């Protein structure tokens, strides 16, 4: 562990001012950052503790939506009756992530900003453009079973690990940010993350010194919601593929659909292709298969992860079938 200095922020304005100094980083629950510091991947010279800022509330909005404070823990959000009732896909995604102990500590803002679990990113002896720009990507041509099949580049094929962010993508959440100059801006979650391109080390549109203060969920969409996560073991594991789906259907056709994938790209992946293939079509397995094919049309395997393309298709079909017919009939 390298030496560093520490301060506890007293308010949000003081926090963004403090983190503007070179080498400074925010720390909240620390469930990802501390691991990265121990491995010498993150090397902050100064930590600004924002865990005690008054950003833990989950509050009602006049339009029927919710504002979730950036310091609200994953456990508190998942257990909130309003989230469970109106945004069940979010509660399901949160409960499927990590362990109970970690969910009790992990914050909403930190979950959005957690870094990839690519083993080459964690191995400081390996080439990794995300960790060390210009050093190459050892995952390309290496063991890449967990890596991206959509939106990757010649510089990086890592995936984003968050379950929560996948559900929030389907819900069209907006992220509220406080800048070092005290200005506030709101970014739609699909615009918050960046694809790797030639700069995979730049993962979001956050500006230097900017801090997440809350996440705004729009009024709950019509229809049924479901999060499905496929992983190597039943708990404490990241997704090979996950799907967050929201479907509103009439008596004969699907009126509206939202689909987001996890475990397949550098960011939570909103599939507008799948949504277009579902909308206005009958709720049948043939429609679901067509949507799955549309969603994976541009998918590219890297060898060990070729299976993910078919797995993603089947996971989407199974999720949509369960939404349409109920859990028992979908088995």
């Amino acid at each position: 562990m390298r030496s560093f200095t520490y301060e506890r922020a007293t308010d949000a304005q003081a926090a963004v001012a403090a983190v503007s100094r070179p080498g400074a980083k925010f720390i909240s629950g620390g469930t990802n950052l501390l691991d990265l510091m121990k491995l010498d991947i993150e090397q902050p010279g100064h930590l600004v503790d924002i865990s005690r800022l008054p950003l833990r509330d989950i509050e009602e909005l006049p339009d029927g939506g919710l504002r979730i404070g950036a310091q609200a823990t994953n456990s508190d959000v998942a257990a909130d009756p309003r989230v469970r009732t109106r945004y069940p896909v979010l509660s399901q995604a949160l409960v499927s992530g990590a362990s109970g102990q970690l969910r009790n500590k992990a914050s909403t803002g930190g979950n959005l900003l957690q870094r990839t679990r690519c083993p080459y990113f964690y191995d400081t002896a390996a080439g990794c453009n995300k960790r060390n720009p210009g050093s190459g990507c050892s995952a390309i041509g290496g063991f890449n079973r967990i890596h991206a099949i959509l939106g990757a580049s010649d510089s990086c094929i890592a995936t984003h690990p968050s379950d929560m962010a996948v559900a929030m993508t389907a819900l069209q959440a907006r992220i509220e940010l406080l800048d070092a100059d005290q200005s506030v801006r709101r970014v739609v979650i699909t615009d918050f993350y960046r694809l790797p391109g030639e700069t995979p080390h730049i993962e979001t549109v956050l500006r230097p010194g900017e801090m997440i203060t809350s996440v705004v969920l729009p009024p709950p969409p019509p229809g049924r919601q479901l999060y499905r996560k496929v992983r190597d073991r039943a708990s404490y594991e990241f997704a090979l593929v996950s799907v967050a789906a929201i479907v509103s259907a009439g008596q004969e056709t699907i009126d509206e659909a939202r689909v987001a994938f996890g475990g397949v790209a550098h960011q939570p992946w909103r599939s507008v292709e799948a949504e277009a293939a579902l909308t206005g079509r009958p709720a049948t397995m043939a429609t679901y298969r067509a949507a799955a094919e549309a969603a994976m049309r541009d998918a590219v395997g890297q060898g060990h992860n070729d299976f993910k393309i078919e797995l993603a298709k089947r996971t989407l079909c199974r999720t949509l079938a369960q939404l349409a017919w109920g859990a028992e009939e979908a088995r």
Side-chain angles (χ1 to χ4, degrees):
M1 179 78 78
R2 295 174 182 265
S3 62
F4 58 89
T5 53
Y6 168 91
E7 70 175 286
R8 184 179 297 168
T10 55
D11 56 58
Q13 290 74 24
V16 293
V19 87
S20 297
R21 61 187 283 185
K25 279 190 174 290
F26 292 123
I27 185 168
S28 181
T31 57
N32 188 202
L33 178 61
L34 291 178
D35 285 341
L36 295 174
M37 290 173 64
K38 291 173 185 177
L39 293 170
D40 210 27
I41 296 167
E42 293 276 9
Q43 303 170 3
H46 184 64
L47 290 181
V48 181
D49 186 346
I50 56 175
S51 62
R52 291 169 177 79
L53 295 183
L55 299 172
R56 291 180 173 267
D57 292 342
I58 303 173
E59 56 182 310
E60 295 273 358
L61 296 176
D63 64 0
L66 290 179
R67 175 178 282 107
I68 301 172
Q71 292 303 315
T73 67
N74 288 181
S75 290
D76 286 346
V77 176
D80 188 278
R82 296 163 296 182
V83 175
R84 294 178 62 187
T85 302
R86 291 147 55 180
Y87 306 97
V89 68
L90 177 56
S91 182
Q92 293 160 11
L94 285 164
V95 170
S96 75
S99 65
Q101 293 92 332
L102 286 174
R103 293 194 297 269
N104 288 341
K105 191 67 176 174
S107 66
T108 297
N111 188 300
L112 291 170
L113 294 175
Q114 63 181 303
R115 306 199 71 188
T116 184
R117 264 53 178 194
C118 171
Y120 298 105
F121 174 74
Y122 278 78
D123 180 2
T124 54
C128 174
N129 290 315
K130 182 180 287 294
R131 174 174 33 80
N132 184 18
S135 63
C137 176
S138 293
I140 298 176
F143 185 67
N144 46 48
R145 181 174 178 271
I146 67 170
H147 289 77
I149 55 176
L150 290 167
S153 73
D154 292 338
S155 296
C156 183
I157 58 171
T159 57
H160 193 271
S162 174
D163 292 291
M164 183 193 77
V166 180
M168 286 187 171
T169 297
L171 291 167
Q172 299 179 341
R174 290 161 291 173
I175 302 171
E176 293 187 327
L177 307 169
L178 179 66
D179 205 341
D181 63 3
Q182 310 302 314
S183 63
V184 177
R185 66 175 177 136
R186 186 178 291 179
V187 179
V188 179
I189 191 168
T190 48
D191 296 330
F192 182 71
Y193 296 103
R194 291 167 50 111
L195 289 178
E198 296 181 354
T199 56
H201 60 291
I202 305 175
E203 299 172 348
T204 70
V205 298
L206 277 173
R207 299 166 182 163
E210 207 165 30
M211 181 177 71
I212 299 174
T213 56
S214 61
V215 176
V216 173
L217 300 180
R224 300 179 64 187
Q225 307 175 18
L226 185 64
Y227 186 76
R228 180 179 292 277
K229 181 177 182 178
V230 180
R231 45 190 163 176
D232 285 324
R233 59 188 181 192
S235 66
Y236 199 56
E237 184 63 280
F238 296 98
L240 290 171
V241 170
S242 65
V243 171
I246 304 172
V247 175
S248 174
Q251 292 187 351
E252 296 183 358
T253 61
I254 297 170
D255 297 327
E256 182 183 357
R258 299 186 197 171
V259 174
F261 288 93
V264 300
H266 205 257
Q267 62 188 43
W269 192 264
R270 176 83 180 268
S271 181
V272 294
E273 298 84 0
E275 294 169 0
L278 291 166
T279 304
R281 305 282 169 54
T284 64
M285 188 55 71
T287 296
Y288 306 152
R289 291 193 185 106
E293 291 293 336
M296 293 295 120
R297 186 173 296 129
D298 296 327
V300 177
Q302 297 289 337
H304 297 103
N305 69 346
D306 291 351
F307 75 98
K308 275 194 173 189
I309 299 174
E310 184 62 27
L311 180 62
K313 294 177 185 178
R314 296 188 182 198
T315 303
L316 178 59
C317 288
R318 181 72 179 271
T319 305
L320 294 170
Q322 185 170 340
L323 281 173
W325 302 330
E328 293 301 319
E329 295 179 70
R331 288 178 181 172

